Amino acid sequence: MHEPQTLVPATETKMTARDVKVFYGEKQAIKGVSIDVDMDNVTAFIGPSGCGKSTFLRTLNRMNDTVASARTEGTITLDGEDIYAPSMDVVQLRARVGMVFQKPNPFPKSIYENIAYGPRIHGLAHGKADLDVIVEKSLRRAGLWDEVKDRLHDSGTALSGGQQQRLCIGRAIAVEPEVILMDEPCSALDPIATAKIEELIHELRGRYAIVIVTHNMQQAARVSQRTAFFHLGELVEYGVTSDIFTNPKQERTKDYITGRYG
Amino acid sequence: MHEPQTLVPATETKMTARDVKVFYGEKQAIKGVSIDVDMDNVTAFIGPSGCGKSTFLRTLNRMNDTVASARTEGTITLDGEDIYAPSMDVVQLRARVGMVFQKPNPFPKSIYENIAYGPRIHGLAHGKADLDVIVEKSLRRAGLWDEVKDRLHDSGTALSGGQQQRLCIGRAIAVEPEVILMDEPCSALDPIATAKIEELIHELRGRYAIVIVTHNMQQAARVSQRTAFFHLGELVEYGVTSDIFTNPKQERTKDYITGRYG
Amino acid sequence: MTATRTPTDWKSDAMRKRIARRYAAERRFKLAGLFAVLLSAAFLAFLLFTMLGNGLRGFTRTEIAVKIDFPASPLLLDPNAITDQSLANANLPMVTGETVKKALGADAEEWVSSTAWTVLRDRIKADPKILSRTETIALPASTAIDLAAKSNASPEAEAAVDRLNKAGLLSTGINWNFLSASDGTDPTQVGIWGAFKGSLLTMLVTLALSFPIGVATALYLEEYARKNWLTDIIEVSINNLAAVPSIIFGLLGLSIFLNFLHLPRSAALVGGMTLALMTMPVIVIAGRNAIKSVPPSIRDAALGIGASPVQVVFHHVLPLALPGILTGTIIGMARALGETAPLLMIGMRAFIATPPGGITDPATVLPVQIFLWSDEVSKGFVEKTSAAIIVLLVFLLAMNGLAIYLRNKFEKRW
Amino acid sequence: MTGPAILLLLAGLGAIAWVSARARALRLQTAARASGRRDAVHSLPGYHGWYVALWTLIPAAIFLAVWANVAPGLITQDVLSSPAAQSLPTDDFSRSAILGEARAIATGKQAGAFNPLSQGLVDPYKAATGKYGMAGAALALVLAFAGGAYAFTRVRPDFRARTRVERLVMAMLLIASLLAIITTLGIVASLLWESFRFFSMVNPIDFLFGTKWSPQSAAMGYGNEDAFGAVPLFWGTIFIGAIIAMIVAIPLGLMSAIYLTQYAQPRVRKWMKPILEVLAGVPTVVYGYFAALTIAPALRDFAVAIGIHSASSESALAAGLVMGVMIIPFVSSMADDSIAAVPQSMRDGSLAMGATTSETIRKVLIPAALPGVVGGVLLAVSRAIGETMIVVMAAGLSANLTLNPFASVTTVTTQIVQLLTGDQEFDSAKTLAAFALGLVLFIVTLLLNIVALRVVKKYREAYE
Amino acid sequence: GCGDQSSGGGAGGTRDQIRAVGSSTVYPFATAIAEMFVQGNPGMKSPIIESTGTGGGMKLFCAGVGAQYPDIENASRRIKKSEFEDCQKNGVKDIIEIQVGVDGLAFAEAKNGPGLKLTPKIVYEALAANPYGKGPNKAETWKDVDPSLPATPISVFGPPSTSGTRDSLAELILTKGCETDPAMKALKEKSEDEFKATCTRVREDGKYVDSGENDNLIVQKLGANPNALGVFGYSFLEENKDTLKDVTINGVEATYETVSTGKYPGARALYIYVKKAHMTAIPGLQAFLNTFASNWNPDGALTKRGMVAAPDDVRKASAETVKSLAVLDGSQLK
Ligand SMILES: Nc1ncnc2c1ncn2[C@@H]1O[C@H](COP(=O)(O)OP(=O)(O)OP(=O)(O)O)[C@@H](O)[C@H]1O
Ligand SMILES: Nc1ncnc2c1ncn2[C@@H]1O[C@H](COP(=O)(O)OP(=O)(O)OP(=O)(O)O)[C@@H](O)[C@H]1O
Ligand SMILES: [Mg+2]
Ligand SMILES: [Mg+2]
């Protein structure tokens, strides 16, 4: 198991959210959340079920647009650009802000095609050889290459749960995004697979801005440098991970972390 | 969080498995496993992904029968009766050995109907009032009553992930089974919901024989009195939980528990 | 492995162009979809409007008011002893012709429908005392006059209409007879009721057989059948039956239901059974797709609390698959409702002037009636054909409406 | 006793059996439950009720079905031996006509006698009917009681009534699916004999591989050679049904389904889907007139305008286009259902990669929904192959082996219908050719389906 | 028991309804008679008239004697020897043949058509597959056939080869046209078969269009295509005089008189066949035949519906048959 991580002085703020509110129809799911995501630190979102972690995460790459009833207010920027501005191109935004879902969702295509999908639609590869290189590199980074290199043309759905999740991470990496959002990427995985993915997060850190939602506080402590604690759609506390876990400022955070909550 | 549990002298062995082998087509997934499950202690199955925990769990209530390619050998008894004997009624067996799945799978019916379904098909309730009592009791035991008592007629699928899982546990309890099998019941849950379910397991212990599959070793340590460690389809080590975690006899167990594995 | 890639430059010109192209493709695709929907809908609208344009006139008819002086007419009837037979013997057609001539002029016999005398007969039957009075009776106009009054026809007919209009003798009313009568040979007197009832009975038989059998087959194949040669044979037969031309089902119906089982010819029962064989595969195929898309976790959940396989299917799988099954049923039944070819072989392409009383009585169905009328010599049948098509479409809409209501009711997300 | 009365009585008995067995099971089970182990009780009382009710009803019903077939014979026998029957004519048909009339009068279906002889037979008929009716009813009741009593004695708390009842349900499901095989056999059987006779007149090789179809040759008695080459018909079928119609139906149907599931408001989809389904139910005569009088002349003018002077006013294109419109719903509804059934997570996965909606649809949703889409297309092709009216009216009846869509072609089914409904005598090669065509078409589609099953089995992909 | 003699088909052992099957050409006349029959015989159920085509009808008709088999066959041609034998084999021994009228065969074109004037010879040369056995027909326009005609392309909508109307076309027009050539007459003596093939086979290159049984459709198509010629039942011409005009044959116009007297060359006999064994068993069958007989005269109801009355002597003979129920002698059939 890994040691808790120490905060690196942020060099570059990648994304900012200011007073973000999300409504599902009448119901408000996010109540004015402001957060900064930087390149060099991993940000973890924790909080009880239904507090709005996933919802907030999905506002960061506008995946909430696909939910008919969802409505977002406030400003979110990526490199200073407002991502909800009409001039913002959603397709490009999503390519720049990749996402890994809680439940692994490989396409019912071959492993190779799963990875190649993104580079193909974005025209990142020039020719087959180039694509092969991208696929190999992405699978290597996702820690899956050795396990699947001999069966790249098997279906992605034929892999075990942990492998599927790594495939999805590889798929997200393949388009070289700038930010990676992960929604409970390890909840379906055993400790070994989890450890692999955590290792991967460490490796990716610094190259990508990473946001991870997790239920597992140990995991949050292990992989993140900043932690945001959500409760009932509010951002209760946001700060350096080690502070949050050892010295929470808010009573609610403390109660949650020590399990006295609910 | 709970303290590690101490073993209670077993009063009654509920289920025994002797030299159980399971094959998926040609592939052997379980390689001769023998285990006893007793009424008073919670048994936890741990092991890396794909080692056969779920497969073995599913042989205990013959859910593997539903997989066309699966074939089971060996003897498994419930109260001394061979559950694979031709005279055994599978349906009744499954009513006696309840199961909670990893992925919450409520029926797309109302919360009330989700709970009431089992008692109805097994004729456990006499009249509506009786059924109401069963539903309330089961939901209370599953720690869900307070959250849903005002919307019993909403759909079960409209609940959050953690609530759905508790609903499924409630559904399993409602038919008053003798054994409850839980396949990673907390993997989708946050710590609070997890704590609730662990509490529930404590409460249920002694009344039902309980077997739980988990990836979370802390959880295994918290809730179980006996732990079985599986690896590649073999039962590597089986014993008192505290022994396994503090003093494993097998090298493989030790490696896994300390995370040096894989 | 090559050197680490530089992060993608999303702002580059090439990338911008590419995105613009992709958006253009996206718009084109969406427009293509919209175009497809609108085009299909436009076809339907065109067909419907054409039918309505031609057919609505079929629901009205032109009548000529004729003053009839019964005592003076050459009718040999005793008002106190009116029977069907005495009416039949009274040579009413001739009498009607003479009377009309007397009232409207020498060439007027051609103006009233050749079956106008049945109106007189019914009046006399209803009230024999009429025989001692003079009464103005609205007689249905002949096809020529009817057409001339509604649109345009031969100059002679137009002239006659003008004359009648001037005299104020012409009136147009809703042709209730069209909804209540059955097949006939005079377009002014025919009705759709017999064929409608025949279609109704036939569809009931078809639905009663094909729906349960189709659903049962789909359930068996998807849920219970082991994958062996028998299932393969069943599967292939069903897929193949869907491709068998309907006339062949007619041949099958002829040889099995009529020649072997000796069921009555021309009956809705046999028609329904034949069409059921044709509809069943459609329901099975759609049903299997629907059953397949019920998530396995639902089945596990039910099995896990001790539901038997039969309970799992009937309590959980079937309700969830029902919308898809109903889709299959809708298109299968729609096809059966419009089918004529197989019915030909089992004797339903026939002139049947009395509505069927039950499923074993001789009957015909709407599409056959339409087909027969479309081949009639008399021009008066043109609008009747269109009107019958409207009735068929209304039937179809009602049938679909019911199924769609059910489908929407059962459509659930999980 | 009359039929409806005895059926009603049986239904009543069944209901009583159900209620009493259920009550008994409930009582016994309550006792058993109170006294001990869980597995002392097996099935719900309702299942015991059904078990006993089925035992009461099924044997009696089977008996009645048999009896209904045997009794009339016995009754007639009885009547024939009555004195009034001695004066009946010997000729079979008049005799049975009189008997039938007497029976109709006896059962009240007919008021007066058309044939005076039948009046005398009414009373013997009434007597015999009464006698055998009573006998049948009594036997049925005895059977019902025996069955019910046997089953009733088996009601015990741990009796596995549910298993038995469910076994019957399963048997019924199996029988339902066997019906498909029976129908298939029935079709083969009803075509085989006539086809055989046809092939004894015409060489099967000439039939299957001949490229000239000219049934007038045979019809008018010019001999069979060169007359029955079925290739142009099969080509016409493929050309119209599988090529032209599909070129219309697949894009329109699939794009409609895509638009409705992915782009349109749910409310629009709810309305448009059923509206499109109406297209499948418009009678084909309507399409036929539309094709022949609106589309075909327009196409011919168009063809002439672009310089194809040979264009005929009957064209494969006209028939195919209209047929394509007719089968749009087969493609659109089935595709709609299966696209909607692709899990949302697939769609989210693709969108989150930065794919546009159309890329997601084309590259992820359609491949995942392919089995359903293909199923719909197959149904559509099947429907197109079976269509006759549109072809007769718009594509003509001349069997040309041509690639020119503006030429007149004809299809197998159309020829079958024409041959069967024509004025030619039925035993000529000409009419029998219809059966041979049907059989060959049947076998061809059967083979195609077998191949399709193989292929589908190999490439079936699951996404859950 | 030896089975139930009184059962089989229908409700009960007998039918109280007349059933007729057969030709779609006779169908409209039979239905008209059915209607009049019911009106004249209140209490009788309406006969059921099926339109199956003559051939299919014969098959049903000859399948046997009994309630499940039809009583009457409507035929647009005479019964064939093979069919008669089939009947005999199945116990349908006594068949009554009644000619009920004549169906006119009319040639027509659109009102604004070129106004063709035809003779059997021209029709033959325009439509034959192999005119006079001298090789495939190459005529493209009417002018190619006869210089007096306009140069409009040949395009004829006519009955399909399965139809009885097509037989009439072959017999009444094509054969006559063909026989104008003495060589063909000689051929007739030599080889009946060859003669028939040369004289009645119609070209299949799209100039002659088989048009199904739906004559209304031909009428509509002619309206849309002024250059085309249509061949169909006389009644359709009469009903559609506002959009069509007749085409003279040998200078004779198609009118009721010319057709019924046979001056207009296209006319063929229509028959009904009745099972004698059913006469006593099916109520109303005799009355039905009587209704037919009283309506087939030149001023009768059938002619109003477009049928052409048979010549006097034929009508007289038919009326006699209806009375005497004389049975058909199979030996004179072909
Ligand atoms: N599509 C939706 N429509 C309506 N309400 C929604 C929808 N999705 C989520 N919600 C509601 O919004 C709130 C926040 O949901 P969200 O999924 O963000 O929670 P979460 O923190 O991710 O929980 P979990 O840990 O269980 O995944 C919840 O109350 C949920 O019920
Ligand atoms: N239906 C199946 N068909 C074939 N092989 C299967 C099937 N289900 C499981 N297996 C295989 O059997 C082995 C044991 O699987 P099982 O699901 O029991 O693992 P597990 O210990 O529960 O893993 P996890 O922790 O990932 O759930 C694995 O190798 C798996 O690939
Ligand atoms: Mg979430
Ligand atoms: Mg598992």
Side-chain angles (χ1 to χ4, degrees), chain A residues 81 89 91-92 95-96 120-124 133 137 175-176 178, chain C residues 1-8 10-11 15-16 18-19 22-23:
Chain A
E81 276 177 276
D89 181 70
V91 164
Q92 206 172 55
R96 293 169 63 191
R120 272 225 186 93
I121 57 173
H122 293 296
L124 303 184
V133 172
K137 194 177 66 182
V175 289
E176 297 281 348
E178 297 159 30
Chain C
M1 212 165 140
T2 54
T4 49
R5 294 170 56 86
T6 45
T8 313
W10 295 101
K11 301 252 153 49
M15 201 44 100
R16 268 177 211 284
R18 192 182 159 79
I19 296 243
R22 287 170 60 202
Y23 270 115

Side-chain angles (χ1 to χ4, degrees), chain B residues 24 27 29 47-56 67 69 102 184 215:
Chain B
Y24 288 117
K27 187 181 155 191
S49 176
C51 65
K53 307 178 295 291
S54 299
T55 301
F56 184 68
V67 179
S69 65
Q102 171 168 9
E184 305 184 28
H215 275 137

